[in-house]
Amino acid sequence: VRRPLKRKPTESPMASDVDPLVRNRPVPDDRPIEAIIGRHIARRSLFVAPVLALICGILQGWTGAVAALGGVAIVVGTFLLGGYLMARAARVSMNMYHAAALFGFLIRLGLITVSMLVIANVTDLDRMAMGISVVVSYLVLLSWEAVAMMNGAERDLEWSN
């Protein structure tokens, strides 16, 4: 039997002092927070995709516009996949959550690369427009979500209030 750490009489014991397994337990919230964030990013992509398609369409023509839309779709797919994987891993344990965060990021970057290579070799889309739209949409969507979370714009997530 483990005894709690000694604290000053004015301090209340922490849950990890009483039960050291608290540190490794799954998240108590039943909502898939990471998947919700992925859906927010997908919703915001409806504003980013037309802008990138318009810019690439003006500079490169129809192939550039379609390639830009494909690049945004690839990025949104990886954000949705990452959110789903992180939400599932959070239900297992914190160690699994951390592993999913690290290796999931590497796997998603690999999926972006492989999907871009396959699309570029199978179709006649503008590779430059697709590559630029992937990088720009990734950074813009991620930054937009981070700013929205810091400003408390997402009221359906408890911890952003």
Side-chain angles (χ1 to χ4, degrees):
V1 175
R2 293 187 69 126
R3 295 181 186 174
L5 296 175
K6 293 186 179 184
R7 294 189 174 272
K8 295 178 185 175
T10 58
E11 295 182 77
S12 61
M14 297 179 63
S16 61
D17 291 341
V18 178
D19 186 3
L21 295 177
V22 167
R23 289 181 230 143
N24 294 324
R25 288 195 180 152
V27 179
D29 196 353
D30 291 335
R31 296 177 304 153
I33 300 295
E34 294 81 3
I36 292 171
I37 292 172
R39 288 193 298 267
H40 289 168
I41 290 174
R43 188 178 66 226
R44 287 187 175 90
S45 73
L46 297 176
F47 298 103
V48 173
V51 173
L52 284 174
L54 179 66
I55 292 170
C56 290
I58 290 171
L59 296 175
Q60 300 292 334
W62 286 106
T63 58
V66 173
L69 291 175
V72 173
I74 290 170
V75 169
V76 169
T78 59
F79 275 127
L80 290 172
L81 176 66
Y84 174 76
L85 289 175
M86 298 277 292
R88 296 290 293 174
R91 304 296 170 255
V92 176
S93 71
M94 288 306 292
N95 291 335
M96 182 65 80
Y97 183 77
H98 294 143
L102 175 63
F103 296 113
F105 177 71
L106 297 175
I107 289 169
R108 288 184 324 215
L109 286 181
L111 284 175
I112 288 174
T113 304
V114 167
S115 60
M116 285 180 60
L117 289 173
V118 167
I119 290 172
N121 288 327
V122 172
T123 65
D124 194 28
L125 294 177
D126 189 358
R127 294 176 184 178
M128 184 66 74
M130 182 180 284
I132 290 173
S133 69
V134 164
V135 172
V136 169
S137 63
Y138 191 93
L139 294 175
V140 167
L141 290 171
L142 193 60
S143 299
W144 193 353
E145 184 65 23
V147 168
M149 294 302 253
M150 289 189 321
N151 291 336
E154 303 302 339
R155 297 293 177 202
D156 57 336
L157 298 175
E158 165 188 328
W159 43 269
S160 70
N161 292 332

